[in-house]
Amino acid sequence: QKREISNFDYLMYLNTLAGRSYNDYMQYPVFPWVLADYHSETLNLSNPHTFRDLSKPMGAQTVERKQKFIQRFNEVEKSEGDLSAPCHYCTHYSSAIIVASYLVRIEPFTQTFCSLQGGSFDVADRMFHSVKSTWESASRDNMSDVRELIPEFFYLPEFLTNANHFELGCMQDGTVLGDVQLPPWADGDPHKFILLHRQALESDYVSAHLHHWIDLIFGHKQHGSAAVEAVNTYHPYFYGDKMDLNKIKDPLIKSTILGFISNFGQIPKQV
């Protein structure tokens, strides 16, 4: 409010308070998608339609998708501690595989990604190859994809280029995976993409609306009735601080929960 700290620094501070760290892929710092325009030739930061709706989680960015997730929540019968517990999302917005997939073109994340994938790269069509198509998947097209971003999208152009010449495979349409495809307004330049993306994060629009997203990820809309109303509930196993593993005597159930958390991610501690 006083313009004494950037939005980037504020988000990093909140992530740290919530227990997120660069040292833990499973609890890596989480940042929001801030833009919805990945098709224009020039980026207009004075137009509200350029931006993502920060008051809604990724699963509710379109009316149709939001209704589908509400329907899913309503259809699941309540059965405590079961995999079929009522929730809007059975996948998470931040996990080890999401972090490693974004950063797969630079080490040590290349090796991390391959180890998480069983020793090799994923099918080319599922790899991170385009900012626009990743946004469309996470905001509209894929019901199992509600991923948010990582801090590197706002300061590290190197992760967008395949400088190490890894053989990432070939997509079904014949496209060979190399550098990440950037929006037209970036002119194919990773440095320009990072510059404009950071300007978008620090823009007046995002400064005025960022608190809504913070409520969803770190605040009072994270769980409980406010989360249900905001279409922002995740599988109970994602809420690590709400689950006392010491009370679970069955070792099979305990290992299942731990495996679930390590594979699919964790909700940050509420701040």
Side-chain angles (χ1 to χ4, degrees):
Q1 288 178 333
K2 294 180 180 178
R3 294 291 196 268
E4 292 175 3
I5 185 172
S6 67
N7 290 336
F8 183 92
D9 289 337
Y10 185 50
L11 287 170
M12 283 304 300
Y13 179 68
L14 288 175
N15 270 284
T16 304
L17 278 182
R20 315 294 285 190
S21 166
Y22 282 120
N23 299 319
D24 186 349
Y25 294 161
M26 291 181 285
Q27 296 197 75
Y28 207 76
V30 57
F31 268 59
W33 288 94
V34 293
L35 293 173
D37 182 355
Y38 298 97
H39 55 271
S40 296
E41 294 294 329
T42 56
L43 195 62
N44 182 1
L45 297 181
S46 62
N47 181 359
H49 295 295
T50 298
F51 297 92
R52 163 256 179 104
D53 188 341
L54 287 159
S55 69
K56 296 183 176 68
M58 288 304 290
Q61 289 297 307
T62 69
V63 175
E64 298 82 5
R65 193 156 121 121
K66 178 182 177 181
Q67 289 306 318
K68 286 180 182 175
F69 281 120
I70 291 172
Q71 185 179 354
R72 173 193 283 176
F73 182 92
N74 293 335
E75 284 175 355
V76 176
E77 291 184 14
K78 189 155 189 171
S79 48
E80 191 63 42
D82 191 1
L83 280 170
S84 61
C87 61
H88 295 108
Y89 315 114
C90 297
T91 52
H92 201 257
Y93 50 76
S94 174
S95 67
I97 194 67
I98 289 172
V99 173
S101 69
Y102 279 144
L103 300 173
V104 69
R105 290 165 178 78
I106 53 176
E107 292 287 16
F109 302 98
T110 312
Q111 294 303 317
T112 301
F113 182 84
C114 288
S115 65
L116 289 169
Q117 283 290 339
S120 63
F121 291 119
D122 198 359
V123 176
D125 287 84
R126 288 204 300 257
M127 297 275 285
F128 172 52
H129 65 278
S130 159
V131 178
K132 178 175 180 281
S133 65
T134 303
W135 159 255
E136 289 172 348
S137 171
S139 67
R140 186 187 71 198
D141 296 340
N142 187 345
M143 289 291 284
S144 61
D145 183 3
V146 291
R147 78 184 82 176
E148 292 279 7
L149 298 183
I150 53 176
E152 284 82 352
F153 272 84
F154 301 94
Y155 69 81
L156 189 72
E158 287 79 9
F159 88 98
L160 297 165
T161 61
N162 188 20
N164 292 315
H165 305 293
F166 292 119
E167 293 185 8
L168 302 172
C170 188
M171 295 172 65
Q172 286 183 339
D173 63 4
T175 304
V176 177
L177 256 61
D179 297 345
V180 175
Q181 295 171 13
L182 302 175
W185 45 259
D187 296 327
D189 182 350
H191 290 84
K192 185 173 182 180
F193 172 83
I194 295 293
L195 175 69
L196 292 173
H197 205 215
R198 184 64 172 263
Q199 286 178 0
L201 178 66
E202 304 300 340
S203 67
D204 289 341
Y205 179 90
V206 172
S207 296
H209 295 85
L210 188 58
H211 63 285
H212 294 304
W213 183 83
I214 290 169
D215 286 343
L216 294 169
I217 307 298
F218 302 106
H220 76 287
K221 292 181 180 177
Q222 191 191 74
H223 59 263
S225 58
V228 174
E229 192 176 327
V231 194
N232 192 43
T233 65
Y234 296 81
H235 193 280
Y237 291 171
F238 291 145
Y239 297 88
D241 58 341
K242 300 282 181 289
M243 187 167 290
D244 188 355
L245 289 171
N246 295 321
K247 289 183 179 177
I248 299 171
K249 302 303 179 193
D250 189 325
L252 186 61
I253 294 176
K254 184 180 284 191
S255 67
T256 300
I257 294 172
L258 286 171
F260 197 95
I261 292 168
S262 64
N263 282 316
F264 295 105
Q266 290 171 272
I267 301 289
K269 288 177 184 171
Q270 195 173 24
V271 296

